[in-house]
Amino acid sequence: MSEPKKIKIALAGNPNCGKTSLFNELTGLRQKVGNFPGVTVDKKTGIFFLPNKTEAFVVDLPGTYSIYPRRVDEMITFEVLANLDNDSRPDVIVLLADASNLKRNLLFCTQVIDMGIPTVIALNMIDVAEKNNIRIDVAKLEEELGVPVIPMNAREGKGVDKLLNLLSSEVAKPKRSFIDLQKLCGDAKELSNKIPYSNEYIATLLAVLHKELNHFQAEKHKLIEEWVAAKKFVVARFQGEEVLQRYNSINRVVNNCVNEEQKENKSLENTSRIDKILLHPLWGYLIFLGVFFLVFQAIFAWAQYPMDLISLVFSSVGNYIHNLLPSGIINDLLIQGLWSGIGGVVVFIPQIMLLFGFITILEDTGYMARVSFLMDKLMRIVGLGGKSAVPLISGMACAIPAIMSTRNIESWKDRIITIMVVPFMSCSARLPVYTLLVSFAVPSQPVLGIFNMRGMWMLALYLFGFIAAIFASFIMKLIIKTKEKGIFLMELPIYRFPRWGNIGVTMFEKAMVFVTDAGKIIVAISVVLWFLASYGPGDEIKNIDKKFVDTSFNSKYNTQELDAIKQSEKLAHSYVGHIGHFIEPAIAPLGFDWKIGISLITAFAAREVFVGTIATIYSVGSTSDMDMKKLRERMHNEINAQTGKKVFSFATVVSLMIFFALAMQCMSTIAVVRRETKSWKWPMIQLFFMTGLAYLASFITYQLLK
Amino acid sequence: MSNLAIPLSVLKKGDKAIIISLDDIAISIKLMEMGCMPGEHLEVDYIAPLGDPISIRIGNYLLGLRKDEAIAIKVMKQ
């Protein structure tokens, strides 16, 4: 027996059977997230060493209840296991089964065993089974299934060393079969002989699913079509009868190996008891609101402290290096372009880590499934499912982590729609914009004694975003077509304590994915925006520098005021300034002049940049309270040179509010949508849909109000 | 006690039943994969506050399903 230096292992099993625990237990932090080719499914891989020094390369396959996929991610599991003439073919499959719920888990297990690939079963959650008086005769189970079976408690790492020892020696191919293929569809041998690495069962699986495979050669399709026609193979009948045959075999196995005392199942009884409270018509929703208020508070308010710290560190370090290096274009590019672009990426990490910390706790404990259960009917009114509730709520703090959290939505269509509508929710970056505009245009007067007019306007803007999201959801539902059948079958796992290690790993992983994948795009766009705002055609910028060196005209201003005027003139003469003039005819019907145009372009980096840009344009040094008052005065006094009317009329300001509520003014959202959908198609549709809608709505608003 | 097969969707919380048959071929394969086989015992564990979805205890676990799916499961109440 020759020992391979490297082996490839695939982890497979039902959802909720502890696959992630085992994967983390095996690889620790030596894991990375990549792509399965051609689909939007994350591929989690890792490396670890077996006791005999063999390097094991492990891939975590998406959890599935059956080899027949319901969704894109489940398709991957089939593709990796059945499409065997490629490099990702595993040498060994580690198949997880939930010992406390063996019967249902064995359906998928026997399907995988029948594929004839060397397989080890990790009989996980053995502790839960024992606690509930489910006794499993492991030796008997090994004999019945014809593959090695290792009892395991992956949460506590029990049984993992046994698994590693077993993997050190060569695992034999399974020999038993749990269905009578001859009876189901006749001879499949002639077909399997022509397909490398397959066996008869794999051949029939390919006959069922070959049309949906991404990478499958045309000649094989033809082979299969011929066989299907010759055997009069009917897919649905085959699948139905296969499942029936399997359960016959499984019932026999379970009767021989599992001794379940007819006592009550403690875990399920406890879970039912907790459900009585958490799914209660009143308490259930109150607790839900409480939990999500906490989550919202965390990403909206608590995250602000580390975010401020990150901004401070980045600007201090940037300033320090800026002064250290010789001044010039390279220095500016490095510090003002690249370094602050990187800072703009890192600043999202606290929100992402906090949200995923909470989400992982909620999933680990089993509460997340209850949230879907509670919210499903409500969310279906707006055309989505229960799992879209969490991203939409999180979107009110920030769309970036919210869009990343749509990963939990299984239905592809629901997921895409959720991604498309989340940015309409009023995020925290809109707050400074709304604050400036509302405090400018709306008098601070009491309404009904207890409310303030400005507060009412803010609330109305938040509601407007929410209504826009629902509206967009209806539109998207009509546009987006899918092959998926909308079947909602969801396991409600038993309540358990969260695994803190797992939470830490997820938080770290999500932050890394964002920084490495979305980060590149954000840095690239911010460098471009920086360049456009800092440089201009010809000598225009240089001339401004020269003008301000000459001190003769500046007697009536102090240095600070002078610097503010200089920055304002520079911006006006930069490329962005020119673009502002260029787009003025297009945005004039919305009530915007070229200066507002400049702010709309720079605010593409992030909405709150609007306030800073307006401050620069109107030569206000900072965005402190004192300066904000000055800014409001200058905005108030601004006169349009052509019309002689006020630039910031009521109609223009309301039009701006509407524009910021609807437009896709956030490059980080675009980057993260591109990362989550693995294509430029969706972020581009989103950009044009949102900004188009914003243009239209602002146009109508301004024309009605002016 | 009734010995007529009725859809699972009409059962109330706490009702126990045996699955008699599954209608709708497309959904039935998925239901069977989730353990909803003819002959299996089930108990309605919970009905969501708004009347949909429902959760049933089948085998040793809880399964949430919408009424649309539950209609396809014909059961005999016990």
Side-chain angles (χ1 to χ4, degrees), chain A residues 394-601:
Chain A
S394 311
M396 290 180 67
C398 178
I400 313 301
I403 284 170
M404 289 175 76
S405 74
T406 60
R407 190 51 63 96
N408 300 321
I409 304 171
E410 289 97 352
S411 153
W412 178 84
K413 185 174 177 176
D414 281 5
R415 182 159 172 237
I416 287 289
I417 294 177
T418 309
I419 288 175
M420 298 305 267
V421 305
V422 157
F424 283 112
M425 302 298 278
S426 284
C427 65
S428 57
R430 286 182 176 95
L431 201 56
V433 180
Y434 290 167
T435 307
L436 172 69
L437 296 176
V438 169
S439 68
F440 178 80
V442 182
S444 174
Q445 65 188 42
V447 181
L448 300 173
I450 46 170
F451 302 108
N452 186 291
M453 192 60 150
R454 286 182 177 167
M456 303 293 279
W457 272 71
M458 292 297 271
L459 184 67
L461 283 167
Y462 269 77
L463 277 177
F464 182 68
F466 182 69
I467 292 163
I470 292 172
F471 169 75
S473 164
F474 279 117
I475 303 266
M476 291 294 162
K477 211 174 161 60
L478 295 177
I479 296 171
I480 298 170
K481 297 272 175 284
T482 176
K483 277 188 284 180
E484 280 179 341
K485 285 170 236 115
I487 298 179
F488 176 90
L489 290 173
M490 185 181 57
E491 186 177 354
L492 296 166
I494 55 167
Y495 288 109
R496 308 196 74 183
F497 279 102
R499 297 153 293 173
W500 304 110
N502 179 39
I503 294 161
V505 168
T506 309
M507 288 165 77
F508 175 77
E509 179 204 300
K510 292 294 172 184
M512 283 305 290
V513 159
F514 175 76
V515 169
T516 51
D517 289 8
K520 281 177 272 185
I521 300 166
I522 298 172
V523 171
I525 299 176
S526 50
V527 168
V528 171
L529 284 176
W530 161 80
F531 177 80
L532 292 178
S534 309
Y535 294 89
D539 287 337
E540 288 184 31
I541 300 283
K542 246 185 220 160
N543 291 340
I544 295 168
D545 276 328
K546 260 186 220 154
K547 182 169 124 193
F548 281 82
V549 169
D550 179 13
T551 49
S552 57
F553 82 109
N554 66 10
S555 50
K556 61 184 241 217
Y557 301 105
N558 65 31
T559 16
Q560 260 183 347
E561 286 169 329
L562 209 58
D563 192 53
I565 295 169
K566 178 174 152 188
Q567 294 307 329
S568 164
E569 283 196 25
K570 272 191 171 179
L571 186 58
H573 287 87
S574 68
Y575 289 110
V576 169
H578 286 270
I579 298 173
H581 278 291
F582 180 73
I583 64 169
E584 191 172 33
I587 57 175
L590 279 55
F592 307 158
D593 70 348
W594 65 275
K595 290 181 179 176
I596 296 174
I598 293 178
S599 319
L600 295 185
I601 295 161

Side-chain angles (χ1 to χ4, degrees), chain A residues 65-66 68 70 100-101 103-104 107 134 239 243-244 247 260 265 268-269 272 276 279 285 373 376-378 380 487-492, chain B residues 13 25-27 29-35 37 40 45-50 52-55 57 60-66 68-69:
Chain A
Y65 294 104
S66 157
Y68 298 111
R70 279 192 285 178
S100 68
N101 187 14
K103 203 194 248 184
R104 195 202 64 212
L107 179 81
I134 301 168
Q239 277 183 297
V243 176
L244 284 170
Y247 270 115
E260 194 174 338
N265 184 319
L268 278 177
E269 299 302 328
S272 285
K276 279 207 176 68
L279 296 180
Y285 285 103
F373 192 75
D376 189 65
K377 185 89 185 270
L378 275 180
R380 277 165 79 195
I487 298 179
F488 176 90
L489 290 173
M490 185 181 57
E491 186 177 354
L492 296 166
Chain B
K13 191 183 163 204
I25 184 86
I27 298 178
I29 291 169
K30 291 297 151 198
L31 284 169
M32 289 198 291
E33 287 172 354
M34 297 298 285
M37 294 290 295
E40 287 284 335
D45 191 64
Y46 220 92
I47 297 175
L50 298 167
D52 193 14
I54 65 173
S55 120
R57 181 170 162 179
N60 270 326
Y61 84 109
L62 297 172
L63 174 67
L65 67 170
R66 286 181 186 151
D68 294 350
E69 276 92 44

Side-chain angles (χ1 to χ4, degrees), chain A residues 47-64:
Chain A
I47 290 171
F48 64 96
F49 290 90
L50 295 174
N52 65 354
K53 303 282 186 290
T54 303
E55 189 181 1
F57 179 80
V58 58
V59 54
D60 185 13
L61 297 177
T64 175

